[in-house]
């Protein structure tokens, strides 16, 4: 299973970016999809997650600014980021919890990360 993330880049404070991440390869089912981020010198933290039924949860720091969504048919998760702040600067990683076969255990899969830089 491979996760390919895209959409990162350089943006000014107050700007917007839309990240996307698509899963490919042998995967039977995907449960939770999400985004995490890691700023320089800090630990990786949850940004937002979305369940298979569409239920979402997000960090307090991004509530009202970031929106997570998914397209199950495309095996893709999106993160619309608005009103970006300098402190949103980080490498953003997509994550899925899925099974490769019907009998396999659920496990985590990670994308390679995409850099978001918000300039002030």
């Amino acid at each position: 299973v491979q996760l390919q993330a895209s959409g990162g880049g350089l943006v000014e404070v107050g700007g917007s970016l839309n990240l996307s991440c698509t899963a490919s390869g042998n995967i039977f089912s995907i449960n939770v999809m999400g985004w995490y981020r890691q700023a320089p010198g800090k630990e990786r933290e949850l940004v937002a997650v979305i369940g298979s039924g569409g239920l979402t949860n997000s960090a307090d720091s991004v509530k009202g600014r970031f929106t997570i969504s998914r397209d199950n048919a495309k095996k893709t998760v999106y993160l619309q980021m608005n009103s970006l702040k300098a402190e949103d600067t980080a490498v953003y990683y997509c994550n899925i919890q899925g099974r490769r076969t019907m009998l396999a255990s659920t496990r985590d899969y990670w994308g390679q990360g995409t850099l978001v830089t918000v300039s002030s």
Side-chain angles (χ1 to χ4, degrees), residues 29-109:
S29 66
I30 300 173
N31 185 9
V32 179
M33 307 181 84
W35 290 94
Y36 292 73
R37 67 186 180 186
Q38 187 166 19
K42 295 188 177 181
E43 293 187 353
R44 190 173 297 188
E45 64 176 2
L46 170 75
V47 177
V49 291
I50 182 168
S52 56
L55 194 64
T56 65
N57 189 26
S58 60
D60 288 343
S61 59
V62 306
K63 277 187 167 68
R65 300 188 298 122
F66 292 9
T67 302
I68 189 169
S69 61
R70 63 190 282 173
D71 185 327
N72 292 327
K74 295 182 179 179
K75 299 178 184 176
T76 299
V77 60
Y78 305 95
L79 186 68
Q80 177 64 44
M81 305 186 293
N82 298 326
S83 303
L84 282 160
K85 305 176 180 180
E87 51 264 42
D88 294 319
T89 295
V91 177
Y92 284 69
Y93 298 90
C94 61
N95 166 271
I96 68 169
Q97 296 175 9
R99 292 186 289 161
R100 294 191 65 181
T101 68
M102 186 173 63
L103 300 179
S105 300
T106 299
R107 57 157 289 185
D108 282 299
Y109 298 91

